[in-house]
Amino acid sequence: MKVAEKILEQLGGQKFLAMTGANHLVADGNTLRMALPKNASKANRLYITLDATDTYTMHFFKYTAGHLNKKTFAWIEDKTIEVRTDSGVFCDSLQAIFTEVTGMYTHL
């Protein structure tokens, strides 16, 4: 939980959440997961993981949940489309990479 809180703090904390509209934040071990609103990259999910080298990996992707086709009643599986993954990101570059990928500013 502390790792995810620190990652959110380095992104800009509550100002980041207010400016971007990111929601559904989940702390998962050394990872902060969040859902993103519509943006330029079409990514709707972001995972930021703290690596053993004290750097971060930012994983942007578009996730579509599985659903039932109403005409054929066939199940359509979950779909994940990779948008961008950056490894070896230092804490002072998190905001810049987020803005570069999504086109959304993290602060005024």
Side-chain angles (χ1 to χ4, degrees):
M1 187 76 167
K2 296 220 183 258
V3 173
E5 289 173 355
K6 190 67 172 176
I7 293 170
L8 181 60
E9 179 185 318
Q10 291 169 344
L11 282 170
Q14 294 299 318
K15 292 178 184 177
F16 168 80
L17 297 176
M19 288 291 292
T20 62
N23 53 21
H24 301 295
L25 285 97
V26 176
D28 183 21
N30 288 341
T31 303
L32 173 65
R33 299 192 280 176
M34 66 183 76
L36 301 174
K38 289 184 180 181
N39 59 67
S41 69
K42 301 205 177 4
N44 63 0
R45 299 283 192 273
L46 169 61
Y47 290 3
I48 302 175
T49 304
L50 177 64
D51 300 327
T53 59
D54 204 27
T55 59
Y56 297 99
T57 299
M58 297 179 77
H59 180 68
F60 296 89
F61 60 97
K62 181 176 182 181
Y63 171 76
T64 306
H67 61 279
L68 187 65
N69 185 325
K70 292 180 182 179
K71 290 183 179 179
T72 63
F73 298 108
W75 181 256
I76 298 173
E77 297 294 326
D78 294 349
K79 187 164 61 168
T80 302
I81 300 171
E82 179 80 25
V83 174
R84 181 169 162 180
T85 300
D86 291 323
S87 299
V89 177
F90 292 103
C91 63
D92 57 348
S93 301
L94 288 173
Q95 292 182 358
I97 291 174
F98 182 87
T99 300
E100 180 184 330
V101 174
T102 63
M104 294 188 287
Y105 294 103
T106 59
H107 59 282
L108 290 174

